[in-house]
Short mmCIF file of all heavy atoms in Angstrom, two decimals:
data_model
loop_
_atom_site.label_atom_id
_atom_site.label_comp_id
_atom_site.label_asym_id
_atom_site.label_seq_id
_atom_site.Cartn_x
_atom_site.Cartn_y
_atom_site.Cartn_z
N ARG A 210 12.54 9.07 38.27
CA ARG A 210 13.49 10.19 38.38
C ARG A 210 13.60 10.97 37.09
O ARG A 210 13.66 12.20 37.12
CB ARG A 210 14.87 9.66 38.76
CG ARG A 210 15.93 10.74 38.96
CD ARG A 210 17.32 10.14 39.06
NE ARG A 210 17.68 9.47 37.84
CZ ARG A 210 18.83 8.84 37.67
NH1 ARG A 210 19.70 8.70 38.67
NH2 ARG A 210 19.14 8.25 36.52
N ASP A 211 13.59 10.29 35.96
CA ASP A 211 13.78 10.99 34.70
C ASP A 211 12.66 12.02 34.40
O ASP A 211 12.93 13.00 33.71
CB ASP A 211 13.89 9.99 33.53
CG ASP A 211 15.23 9.25 33.52
OD1 ASP A 211 16.12 9.69 34.25
OD2 ASP A 211 15.35 8.26 32.80
N ALA A 212 11.47 11.72 34.88
CA ALA A 212 10.40 12.69 34.69
C ALA A 212 10.75 14.04 35.35
O ALA A 212 10.52 15.11 34.77
CB ALA A 212 9.08 12.15 35.24
N TRP A 213 11.29 13.93 36.53
CA TRP A 213 11.67 15.17 37.25
C TRP A 213 12.88 15.85 36.60
O TRP A 213 12.97 17.06 36.59
CB TRP A 213 12.01 14.80 38.70
CG TRP A 213 10.79 14.38 39.46
CD1 TRP A 213 10.35 13.10 39.67
CD2 TRP A 213 9.84 15.24 40.11
NE1 TRP A 213 9.19 13.10 40.39
CE2 TRP A 213 8.85 14.40 40.69
CE3 TRP A 213 9.72 16.65 40.28
CZ2 TRP A 213 7.77 14.91 41.41
CZ3 TRP A 213 8.66 17.13 40.98
CH2 TRP A 213 7.70 16.30 41.54
N LEU A 214 13.79 15.04 36.04
CA LEU A 214 14.93 15.61 35.35
C LEU A 214 14.49 16.41 34.12
O LEU A 214 14.98 17.51 33.87
CB LEU A 214 15.91 14.52 34.96
CG LEU A 214 16.67 13.83 36.09
CD1 LEU A 214 17.49 12.65 35.55
CD2 LEU A 214 17.55 14.80 36.83
N PHE A 215 13.58 15.83 33.37
CA PHE A 215 13.08 16.54 32.17
C PHE A 215 12.31 17.79 32.58
O PHE A 215 12.33 18.80 31.86
CB PHE A 215 12.23 15.62 31.29
CG PHE A 215 13.01 14.63 30.55
CD1 PHE A 215 12.70 13.27 30.58
CD2 PHE A 215 14.07 15.02 29.71
CE1 PHE A 215 13.44 12.35 29.84
CE2 PHE A 215 14.81 14.10 29.00
CZ PHE A 215 14.46 12.76 29.07
N LEU A 217 13.02 19.72 35.08
CA LEU A 217 14.04 20.70 35.36
C LEU A 217 14.68 21.28 34.08
O LEU A 217 14.82 22.48 33.90
CB LEU A 217 15.13 20.10 36.25
CG LEU A 217 16.33 20.98 36.58
CD1 LEU A 217 15.88 22.26 37.30
CD2 LEU A 217 17.32 20.24 37.45
N LEU A 218 15.04 20.38 33.16
CA LEU A 218 15.65 20.80 31.91
C LEU A 218 14.73 21.69 31.10
O LEU A 218 15.17 22.72 30.55
CB LEU A 218 16.09 19.58 31.09
CG LEU A 218 17.13 18.65 31.71
CD1 LEU A 218 17.38 17.44 30.85
CD2 LEU A 218 18.45 19.41 31.93
N GLY A 275 20.23 14.58 21.25
CA GLY A 275 19.71 15.58 22.21
C GLY A 275 20.64 15.87 23.35
O GLY A 275 20.68 17.00 23.85
N ILE A 276 21.42 14.88 23.81
CA ILE A 276 22.33 15.11 24.92
C ILE A 276 23.44 16.09 24.50
O ILE A 276 23.74 17.06 25.19
CB ILE A 276 22.95 13.79 25.40
CG1 ILE A 276 21.88 12.91 26.07
CG2 ILE A 276 24.13 14.02 26.33
CD1 ILE A 276 22.36 11.53 26.45
N LEU A 279 21.92 19.62 24.12
CA LEU A 279 21.59 20.32 25.41
C LEU A 279 22.86 20.74 26.12
O LEU A 279 22.92 21.86 26.66
CB LEU A 279 20.75 19.40 26.30
CG LEU A 279 19.28 19.24 25.87
CD1 LEU A 279 18.58 18.26 26.78
CD2 LEU A 279 18.54 20.58 25.89
N MET A 280 23.86 19.91 26.15
CA MET A 280 25.09 20.32 26.85
C MET A 280 25.73 21.52 26.17
O MET A 280 26.20 22.44 26.83
CB MET A 280 26.06 19.12 26.91
CG MET A 280 25.63 18.01 27.80
SD MET A 280 26.85 16.66 27.92
CE MET A 280 28.17 17.47 28.76
N TYR A 283 23.15 24.68 26.74
CA TYR A 283 23.23 25.21 28.12
C TYR A 283 24.57 25.90 28.36
O TYR A 283 24.61 26.93 29.05
CB TYR A 283 23.05 24.07 29.13
CG TYR A 283 21.63 23.57 29.26
CD1 TYR A 283 21.34 22.21 29.24
CD2 TYR A 283 20.56 24.45 29.48
CE1 TYR A 283 20.04 21.73 29.36
CE2 TYR A 283 19.26 23.99 29.62
CZ TYR A 283 19.01 22.63 29.56
OH TYR A 283 17.73 22.16 29.70
N LEU A 323 14.32 14.01 23.29
CA LEU A 323 14.66 12.99 24.26
C LEU A 323 13.46 12.41 24.93
O LEU A 323 13.38 11.19 25.15
CB LEU A 323 15.63 13.55 25.33
CG LEU A 323 16.98 14.05 24.85
CD1 LEU A 323 17.73 14.74 25.99
CD2 LEU A 323 17.82 12.87 24.34
N ARG A 327 12.34 8.26 25.99
CA ARG A 327 12.33 7.73 27.35
C ARG A 327 10.92 7.30 27.79
O ARG A 327 10.75 6.30 28.49
CB ARG A 327 12.88 8.82 28.30
CG ARG A 327 12.72 8.48 29.81
CD ARG A 327 13.44 7.21 30.15
NE ARG A 327 13.30 6.91 31.59
CZ ARG A 327 12.28 6.29 32.13
NH1 ARG A 327 11.28 5.87 31.37
NH2 ARG A 327 12.23 6.08 33.43
N SER A 377 24.71 24.65 35.70
CA SER A 377 24.31 23.49 36.47
C SER A 377 23.60 22.45 35.63
O SER A 377 23.74 21.22 35.88
CB SER A 377 23.36 23.93 37.63
OG SER A 377 24.01 24.84 38.49
N CYS A 378 22.89 22.89 34.62
CA CYS A 378 22.23 21.96 33.69
C CYS A 378 23.21 21.19 32.85
O CYS A 378 23.02 20.01 32.52
CB CYS A 378 21.24 22.69 32.79
SG CYS A 378 19.73 23.24 33.66
N VAL A 379 24.32 21.87 32.47
CA VAL A 379 25.39 21.14 31.76
C VAL A 379 25.94 20.00 32.65
O VAL A 379 26.09 18.88 32.16
CB VAL A 379 26.56 22.11 31.41
CG1 VAL A 379 27.70 21.35 30.72
CG2 VAL A 379 26.07 23.22 30.49
N VAL A 380 26.20 20.29 33.88
CA VAL A 380 26.71 19.31 34.82
C VAL A 380 25.70 18.18 34.99
O VAL A 380 26.07 16.99 34.97
CB VAL A 380 27.06 19.95 36.15
CG1 VAL A 380 27.52 18.89 37.15
CG2 VAL A 380 28.16 21.02 36.00
N LEU A 381 24.44 18.53 35.14
CA LEU A 381 23.39 17.53 35.35
C LEU A 381 23.30 16.55 34.18
O LEU A 381 23.29 15.33 34.39
CB LEU A 381 22.04 18.24 35.55
CG LEU A 381 20.81 17.35 35.67
CD1 LEU A 381 20.94 16.45 36.96
CD2 LEU A 381 19.55 18.18 35.73
N VAL A 382 23.26 17.09 32.96
CA VAL A 382 23.18 16.22 31.79
C VAL A 382 24.43 15.36 31.68
O VAL A 382 24.34 14.16 31.34
CB VAL A 382 22.97 17.05 30.50
CG1 VAL A 382 22.98 16.15 29.29
CG2 VAL A 382 21.63 17.81 30.58
N ALA A 383 25.58 15.92 31.97
CA ALA A 383 26.83 15.18 31.89
C ALA A 383 26.83 14.02 32.91
O ALA A 383 27.32 12.90 32.58
CB ALA A 383 28.02 16.07 32.20
N VAL A 384 26.22 14.21 34.06
CA VAL A 384 26.19 13.17 35.10
C VAL A 384 25.21 12.04 34.73
O VAL A 384 25.52 10.84 34.88
CB VAL A 384 25.80 13.78 36.47
CG1 VAL A 384 25.51 12.69 37.49
CG2 VAL A 384 26.91 14.67 36.96
N VAL A 385 24.01 12.42 34.25
CA VAL A 385 22.99 11.38 33.99
C VAL A 385 23.13 10.69 32.67
O VAL A 385 22.54 9.61 32.48
CB VAL A 385 21.57 12.00 34.10
CG1 VAL A 385 21.34 12.64 35.46
CG2 VAL A 385 21.31 13.01 32.97
N GLN A 386 23.89 11.23 31.75
CA GLN A 386 23.95 10.64 30.40
C GLN A 386 24.48 9.20 30.42
O GLN A 386 24.10 8.36 29.59
CB GLN A 386 24.75 11.50 29.48
CG GLN A 386 26.25 11.59 29.79
CD GLN A 386 27.03 12.25 28.67
OE1 GLN A 386 26.67 12.17 27.50
NE2 GLN A 386 28.09 12.95 29.02
N GLY A 387 25.40 8.91 31.31
CA GLY A 387 25.96 7.56 31.39
C GLY A 387 24.86 6.50 31.65
O GLY A 387 24.80 5.48 30.98
N HIS A 388 24.02 6.81 32.63
CA HIS A 388 22.91 5.89 32.95
C HIS A 388 21.93 5.80 31.77
O HIS A 388 21.46 4.71 31.44
CB HIS A 388 22.19 6.36 34.19
CG HIS A 388 20.93 5.60 34.50
ND1 HIS A 388 20.97 4.27 34.90
CD2 HIS A 388 19.62 5.93 34.47
CE1 HIS A 388 19.74 3.84 35.08
NE2 HIS A 388 18.89 4.85 34.84
N TRP A 389 21.65 6.95 31.17
CA TRP A 389 20.71 6.95 30.04
C TRP A 389 21.27 6.08 28.87
O TRP A 389 20.52 5.32 28.26
CB TRP A 389 20.51 8.37 29.55
CG TRP A 389 19.63 9.21 30.42
CD1 TRP A 389 18.98 8.79 31.56
CD2 TRP A 389 19.32 10.63 30.29
NE1 TRP A 389 18.28 9.87 32.11
CE2 TRP A 389 18.49 10.96 31.36
CE3 TRP A 389 19.70 11.58 29.36
CZ2 TRP A 389 17.97 12.27 31.49
CZ3 TRP A 389 19.23 12.88 29.53
CH2 TRP A 389 18.37 13.20 30.59
N LYS A 390 22.55 6.20 28.60
CA LYS A 390 23.12 5.46 27.49
C LYS A 390 23.07 3.95 27.73
O LYS A 390 22.97 3.14 26.83
CB LYS A 390 24.55 5.89 27.21
CG LYS A 390 24.69 7.28 26.63
CD LYS A 390 26.15 7.67 26.53
CE LYS A 390 26.30 9.10 26.04
NZ LYS A 390 27.73 9.54 26.01
N ARG A 391 23.17 3.55 29.01
CA ARG A 391 23.16 2.12 29.35
C ARG A 391 21.75 1.56 29.30
O ARG A 391 21.60 0.34 29.22
CB ARG A 391 23.74 1.93 30.76
CG ARG A 391 25.23 2.15 30.84
CD ARG A 391 25.77 1.66 32.18
NE ARG A 391 25.19 2.30 33.33
CZ ARG A 391 25.61 3.42 33.87
NH1 ARG A 391 26.67 4.02 33.37
NH2 ARG A 391 25.01 3.95 34.92
N THR A 392 20.73 2.41 29.34
CA THR A 392 19.38 1.88 29.51
C THR A 392 18.42 2.17 28.34
O THR A 392 17.66 1.29 27.95
CB THR A 392 18.75 2.43 30.81
OG1 THR A 392 18.86 3.86 30.82
CG2 THR A 392 19.43 1.84 32.04
N TRP A 393 18.44 3.38 27.81
CA TRP A 393 17.41 3.66 26.83
C TRP A 393 17.77 4.56 25.68
O TRP A 393 16.94 4.86 24.81
CB TRP A 393 16.17 4.30 27.54
CG TRP A 393 16.46 5.57 28.30
CD1 TRP A 393 16.88 5.70 29.57
CD2 TRP A 393 16.34 6.93 27.78
NE1 TRP A 393 17.08 7.03 29.93
CE2 TRP A 393 16.74 7.79 28.85
CE3 TRP A 393 15.98 7.48 26.57
CZ2 TRP A 393 16.73 9.17 28.69
CZ3 TRP A 393 15.98 8.84 26.42
CH2 TRP A 393 16.37 9.69 27.48
N ILE A 394 19.01 5.01 25.59
CA ILE A 394 19.29 5.97 24.54
C ILE A 394 20.65 5.66 23.89
O ILE A 394 21.48 4.97 24.47
CB ILE A 394 19.33 7.43 25.11
CG1 ILE A 394 19.08 8.46 24.00
CG2 ILE A 394 20.64 7.72 25.82
CD1 ILE A 394 18.78 9.82 24.53
N GLY A 395 20.82 6.16 22.64
CA GLY A 395 22.05 5.94 21.91
C GLY A 395 23.10 6.99 22.20
O GLY A 395 22.90 7.89 23.03
N GLY A 398 22.62 10.90 22.55
CA GLY A 398 21.20 11.18 22.62
C GLY A 398 20.44 10.83 21.37
O GLY A 398 19.24 11.16 21.23
N GLU A 414 11.92 2.17 37.11
CA GLU A 414 13.02 2.89 37.80
C GLU A 414 12.63 3.21 39.26
O GLU A 414 11.48 3.41 39.57
CB GLU A 414 13.30 4.17 37.05
CG GLU A 414 14.55 4.85 37.55
CD GLU A 414 14.86 6.02 36.65
OE1 GLU A 414 14.30 6.17 35.56
OE2 GLU A 414 15.75 6.80 37.03
#
Side-chain angles (χ1 to χ4, degrees):
R210 183 191 64 183
D211 286 347
W213 292 94
L214 291 175
F215 285 128
L217 177 59
L218 296 176
I276 290 174
L279 286 176
M280 290 183 68
Y283 285 130
L323 297 173
R327 172 60 179 85
S377 299
C378 288
V379 177
V380 176
L381 176 63
V382 176
V384 170
V385 301
Q386 67 170 329
H388 173 68
W389 286 356
K390 290 175 184 177
R391 290 191 300 272
T392 53
W393 58 272
I394 203 167
E414 190 172 350

